[in-house]
Amino acid sequence: MKILITGGAGFIGSAVVRRAVADGHEVVNLDALTYSANLENVAGVANSPRYAFEHVDVADAAAVSGVFARHRPDAVMHLGAESHNDRAIEDPLIFVRTNVLGTAVLLEAARAYWRGLEDAAGERFRFHHVSTDEVFGALGEEGAFCEDTPYDPNSPYSASKAGADHLVRAWGRTFGLPVVLTNCANNYGPYQFPEKLIPTVILRALEGKSIPVYGDGRQVRDWLHVDDHAEALLLVLQKGRLGETYLVGGDSTQRNIEVVRTLCASLDRLAPANIGHAERIAFVADRPGHDFRYSIDASKLMRELGWAPTRALGDGLHDTVRWYVENRDWWQGIRDRGFHSERLGLVKA
Ligand code: NAD
């Protein structure tokens, strides 16, 4: 099928693009190329006859409609977003513009295009919104999110994603647009922009700098390898029930400090330094409104669509460290553009 993928130059979007092209789909990658985008992430498919790129802002209605008219996709996978919690504290309005308004603009363009399709193509059409488990807020020591968990976002990022989720569901219920939604746990793997925890730890360690851990590091996250996520997304797009939400998670919860220590142990093996990497860990001020724990019950996706994660967290983290060690050119390019994994998102008094 021909899939319009937004945010396909980012971390998860590029994994979906690479996987979709490898699976034989045609892909149109719509991306505004913000700071976190990198066309090197899709260089391996850029010359494929099944790949096209559109440098378009998802909130630009005329440009987005033009993409639908030119490419006539069978489905949309919407991943283009502002994605980093710390930046949402610095500049929340860009999150509202891209994640809420941008999603509404994309929905309207998709609706106009879908209404013009003949019956069979209209029935096959899908709009898949890719979202986060953070829309459900924070858990205590027990329990896990499931599809019925009430929305309770705590941060400007998660609130903007919750707003987008609600818009997508409303376009489905009100206009009959054939939508599916997924909410996923924290992703890790190659090509992740070095502002999120895992690439920040790896790169700062490789550069001999301190390794920042927010607060006491006891926050718990559910981690999923990005390639397992990409596979789940393509499965939900093709086989998910209309109007349904599926939670996606790796059943791999760990405290942040445990993840950091695991990464340091891998770094000691793959890039030994004059001191053990864990000795560079520095506990720093916590993120304002930092959610304590996320955990995903992905049993609906596993039961209905037969999906299961394929990578154990320990192996996946080790492979991720190896990827950053072996792909210095990729991240040095980001450093050269002035991004040094510096601290963002402390609320000023
Ligand atoms: P990312 O920051 O690496 O990539 C985002 C991409 O969206 C970039 O290529 C960027 O250029 C593009 N983009 C931003 N604003 C745009 C705009 N106005 N118009 C068009 N394109 C725009 O983010 P990611 O980590 O790959 O996340 C992708 C999606 O998955 C997001 O919707 C995010 O909310 C969701 N998600 C992420 C995680 C995670 O752990 N990273 C977990 C669950 C869900």
Side-chain angles (χ1 to χ4, degrees):
M1 75 166 83
K2 187 187 270 193
I3 312 170
L4 172 58
I5 299 176
T6 72
F11 166 51
I12 302 173
S14 68
V16 178
V17 168
R18 294 190 301 270
R19 177 67 193 256
V21 172
D23 285 355
H25 297 294
E26 283 181 75
V27 166
V28 180
N29 177 4
L30 182 161
D31 201 296
L33 298 182
T34 68
Y35 74 95
S36 68
N38 195 335
L39 286 174
E40 288 173 38
N41 301 1
V42 287
V45 298
N47 292 325
S48 166
R50 295 197 301 278
Y51 174 82
F53 177 68
E54 291 279 0
H55 186 189
V56 163
D57 182 336
V58 77
D60 180 339
V64 172
S65 296
V67 171
F68 277 96
R70 273 194 300 285
H71 294 283
R72 307 199 57 76
D74 303 308
V76 176
M77 298 176 86
H78 180 33
L79 295 99
E82 289 291 335
S83 69
H84 187 40
N85 264 305
D86 288 347
R87 284 179 192 274
I89 297 169
E90 301 271 331
D91 184 5
L93 289 187
I94 183 75
F95 283 69
V96 176
R97 180 190 177 278
T98 293
N99 299 357
V100 183
L101 178 63
T103 300
V105 167
L106 186 67
L107 282 164
E108 275 299 78
R111 181 165 77 97
Y113 165 75
W114 165 71
R115 284 180 56 190
L117 293 174
E118 38 115 314
D119 289 353
E123 269 170 41
R124 280 197 307 271
F125 185 78
R126 291 290 179 276
F127 186 107
H128 179 176
H129 182 54
V130 177
S131 190
T132 166
D133 61 348
E134 300 187 29
V135 299
F136 302 119
L139 292 164
E141 290 286 356
E142 299 292 320
F145 299 133
C146 64
E147 286 77 8
D148 297 333
T149 303
Y151 277 61
D152 188 20
N154 290 318
S155 73
Y157 164 64
S158 55
S160 71
K161 292 296 291 186
D165 287 9
H166 293 319
L167 291 171
V168 173
R169 192 169 297 109
W171 257 244
R173 298 235 173 108
T174 304
F175 303 115
L177 187 71
V179 301
V180 284
L181 296 93
T182 48
N183 296 81
C184 187
N186 281 36
N187 284 218
Y188 70 93
Y191 301 104
Q192 187 169 31
F193 189 84
E195 60 186 355
K196 312 261 169 58
L197 177 69
I198 287 173
T200 295
V201 169
I202 298 170
L203 296 203
R204 287 186 64 96
L206 291 175
E207 293 171 321
K209 296 179 181 164
S210 66
I211 299 172
V213 173
Y214 290 1
D216 59 10
R218 287 174 49 76
Q219 300 86 359
V220 178
R221 298 291 178 262
D222 193 344
W223 293 98
L224 182 67
H225 193 280
V226 66
D227 291 338
D228 280 331
H229 188 194
E231 188 186 335
L233 293 177
L234 285 160
L235 194 59
V236 170
L237 177 77
Q238 295 169 92
K239 302 211 170 124
R241 282 188 289 134
L242 268 192
E244 293 287 318
T245 289
Y246 294 86
L247 264 51
V248 191
D251 198 16
S252 294
T253 51
Q254 270 199 7
R255 295 193 189 282
N256 286 346
I257 186 65
E258 292 168 341
V259 170
V260 173
R261 290 194 188 285
T262 301
L263 293 171
C264 286
S266 285
L267 283 155
D268 286 342
R269 285 162 59 196
L270 296 169
N274 51 344
I275 57 166
H277 287 287
E279 290 182 48
R280 294 212 176 84
I281 293 173
F283 292 93
V284 299
D286 208 350
R287 172 187 289 155
H290 204 184
D291 287 336
F292 174 59
R293 191 171 77 91
Y294 306 136
S295 177
I296 290 262
D297 174 356
S299 55
K300 177 177 170 182
L301 176 61
M302 293 175 168
R303 198 176 53 246
E304 286 191 15
L305 304 185
W307 175 84
T310 61
R311 289 163 188 82
L313 181 58
D315 295 343
L317 291 177
H318 190 68
D319 289 348
T320 302
V321 171
R322 190 196 313 277
W323 187 87
Y324 282 94
V325 169
E326 291 176 353
N327 288 276
R328 196 177 185 105
D329 286 354
W330 182 86
W331 56 266
Q332 192 59 52
I334 293 171
R335 291 297 197 233
D336 293 346
R337 294 206 303 275
F339 294 96
H340 296 281
S341 304
E342 61 279 356
R343 183 73 195 263
L344 298 171
L346 288 169
V347 176
K348 287 145 193 114

